[in-house]
Amino acid sequence: MIKNDVETVILGNKVVYKRYFDVSVDLLFEVWSSRKHLEEWWGPDGFTVTTNSLDFSDGGIWDFVMHGPDGRDYKNRIQFLKIERPRSIFYKHLGNGEGEKDVDFESKILFEETGEGVNLTMEQIFPNQEELERVNRKYGAIEGGKQHVGNLVKYLSSLK
């Protein structure tokens, strides 16, 4: 069964997003791990991305800027903690790379082959429920996560 929407569940300090993709696991993993793809879809609606550097390896850093629809630039750094190609990506958000860490969470991206497609699970794990609630109030994190996966859907559709 193909689901058109992103299934979202909140479990204490964790937000879980799930969606089925009618593409190969190799393609889905590639769009999560390649600079040329990431810059085309990453982030909530209205954002664009410029990559300063990307080391997609265990311990590697992705240093990038998200350009918001409000005209502001948001510096970001992600550290890849563990990558199992093409099954999972585990990373930690490091803040802006300049010592400011207003958002503290880890993400697990799981790719599960099923039939001819892939079930994608994206988990955002916060230190505690209060931090999740704070980040959601300040940044709209849960809706942003839904839009993030939705932008992935749109991008993959453009590749077909």
Side-chain angles (χ1 to χ4, degrees):
M1 181 172 124
I2 297 174
K3 295 180 180 178
N4 292 324
D5 294 323
V6 178
E7 179 185 338
T8 307
V9 178
I10 301 165
L11 303 166
N13 68 324
K14 184 189 312 187
V15 185
V16 180
Y17 307 88
K18 294 183 177 186
R19 188 170 194 298
Y20 173 82
F21 288 88
D22 190 19
V23 298
S24 72
V25 69
D26 292 325
L27 175 59
L28 190 55
F29 192 89
E30 177 70 18
V31 299
W32 276 88
S33 58
S34 165
R35 175 183 184 155
K36 74 176 183 175
H37 291 298
L38 288 166
E39 289 185 343
E40 294 296 323
W41 69 270
W42 187 270
D45 293 350
F47 282 80
T48 59
V49 170
T50 301
T51 297
N52 296 320
S53 63
L54 173 62
D55 176 2
F56 188 74
S57 64
D58 290 357
I61 301 288
W62 180 24
D63 182 3
F64 62 102
V65 179
M66 293 180 66
H67 310 286
D70 60 0
R72 291 183 54 202
D73 288 340
Y74 302 88
K75 295 180 181 181
N76 285 268
R77 285 173 56 93
I78 285 175
Q79 182 175 31
F80 298 102
L81 302 174
K82 185 171 185 180
I83 299 166
E84 293 182 19
R85 186 177 295 269
R87 302 286 170 238
S88 63
I89 302 168
F90 183 33
Y91 67 83
K92 181 166 186 59
H93 191 274
L94 300 175
N96 68 5
E98 297 174 356
E100 185 179 318
K101 190 174 178 181
D102 187 39
V103 178
D104 182 13
F105 69 94
E106 296 178 346
S107 289
K108 287 184 184 176
I109 315 304
L110 306 172
F111 307 85
E112 179 189 4
E113 286 183 279
T114 179
E116 294 185 19
V118 182
N119 283 323
L120 174 81
T121 302
M122 180 176 84
E123 299 179 357
Q124 292 178 325
I125 306 145
F126 292 80
N128 52 56
Q129 186 173 349
E130 293 75 23
E131 177 63 6
L132 166 58
E133 291 169 357
R134 182 192 71 80
V135 171
N136 191 48
R137 276 191 311 274
K138 186 170 182 178
Y139 296 107
I142 296 169
E143 180 59 29
K146 290 180 193 177
Q147 292 175 10
H148 180 72
V149 176
N151 287 329
L152 173 60
V153 172
K154 291 176 199 168
Y155 178 64
L156 283 168
S157 294
S158 77
L159 296 179
K160 289 187 174 184

